[in-house]
Amino acid sequence: MKKVLITGSLGQIGSELVDRLRRELGKDNVIATDIRKIDGNAVCENGVFETLDVMDYEKFLKMATDHKVDTIVHLAALLSATAEKNIKLAWHLNMGGLLNALDVAKELKTKIFAPSSIAAYGPDVNQDNTPQDTFMHPTTMYGVTKTAGEMLANYYNTKFGVDSRSVRFPGLISYKTEPGGGTSDYNVDIFYQALLKGTYECYLAEGTKMDMMYMDDAIDAIVNLLNADPTKLIHRNAFNITAMSLAPEELTALIQKHIPSFKITYKVDPVRQGIADSWPNSIDDSAARTEWGFKPKFDAEKMTVEMINKLTEKFKKEGKLK
Ligand code: SER
């Protein structure tokens, strides 16, 4: 990977990946794109940035050709809760965008990474330590696009030799860019509210366990999988990866070790609860560990300390905390 085009660069993952790759590959070797430009945003200001609607295949191809990229990281997609509210748009954007990205990769013979999710599973699998290879019966529109997307990326690999690689991301936790439209988003908001208000009203019920990961490990996973020796990859689309499995009350207890007065209340949103209930409690990521050495650095305790410290710093700078 020497020169990379990233779609959805302004999102939770994109903004941190752009920053990391600009440092690693050099500013001119990262083509950050998103459907809109945000003036003043570091992604748009600190290096190459282009507006790109991933549904516009001709523009996508021309941009990747002109910049002579050897890798595409395709992050533009609707997340689970938004997708459930806009099922047609979710299908068109998540599948159409991926199809275009795969076609660009095929034309230009680039590598491509396009993430899948724990949402690719359905409620009928073994909920604990869910195996890498099992039947996939997602019951959400987001999950349907993720499972179909995995199949499509594998098809482009076997049929056309496209070097496609992916992971099933769990709920990602980060302090730089807030997530939007996901079911796991509470895992970030809970830290914001714990520090700013001391209370958090959770839209998922007590006991809703879900895999999670700190963003640094997610970014490492993208980079390490893209740099992995292809001859070692038995799987491609997509590897299970996880770092912790937590329910809201467990995350609360971790935060209370640092902010003892913090309190959680529950007001369940049936849509997001239904989505979360259809996902595994914890997934087995041994294939990723064996085939390309996946090993997260942040467990739940370390992630909690990091989130509280970094957000405290951020809120002090913004004048929101003394
Ligand atoms: N974190 C995502 C979501 O909640 C799942 O991939 O939609």
Side-chain angles (χ1 to χ4, degrees), residues 12 78-81 116-119 142 146 169-172 180-185 187 210 275 279:
Q12 190 194 11
L78 285 197
L79 289 191
S80 58
S116 184
S117 160
I118 49 171
Y142 178 69
K146 288 297 168 189
F169 274 133
L172 299 179
T183 299
S184 60
D185 298 7
N187 63 12
M210 191 189 293
I275 295 171
W279 297 350

Side-chain angles (χ1 to χ4, degrees), residues 32-83:
T33 77
D34 206 293
I35 195 159
R36 68 207 187 281
K37 183 170 190 231
I38 301 179
D39 288 329
N41 185 292
V43 170
C44 305
E45 308 293 344
N46 298 349
V48 185
F49 179 85
E50 306 255 21
T51 53
L52 175 65
D53 176 354
V54 293
M55 299 305 282
D56 183 345
Y57 176 69
E58 296 307 325
K59 187 170 175 185
F60 199 160
L61 180 63
K62 185 169 184 323
M63 204 175 276
T65 308
D66 289 351
H67 285 288
K68 298 188 173 63
V69 298
D70 63 18
T71 305
I72 291 167
V73 178
H74 175 57
L75 301 172
L78 285 197
L79 289 191
S80 58
T82 314

Side-chain angles (χ1 to χ4, degrees), residues 76-143:
L78 285 197
L79 289 191
S80 58
T82 314
E84 220 46 41
K85 290 192 193 121
N86 303 279
I87 54 174
K88 266 199 168 177
L89 176 64
W91 176 264
H92 284 302
L93 179 67
N94 291 11
M95 297 312 299
L98 177 61
L99 191 63
N100 285 343
L102 285 165
D103 271 327
V104 172
K106 173 175 164 251
E107 283 307 309
L108 302 183
K109 299 191 172 28
T110 71
K111 278 185 198 174
I112 177 166
F113 175 92
S116 184
S117 160
I118 49 171
Y121 289 108
D124 53 354
V125 289
N126 250 342
Q127 291 291 308
D128 298 305
N129 209 26
T130 309
Q132 168 73 41
D133 298 312
T134 180
F135 47 82
M136 310 300 284
H137 298 155
T139 54
T140 64
M141 178 45 80
Y142 178 69

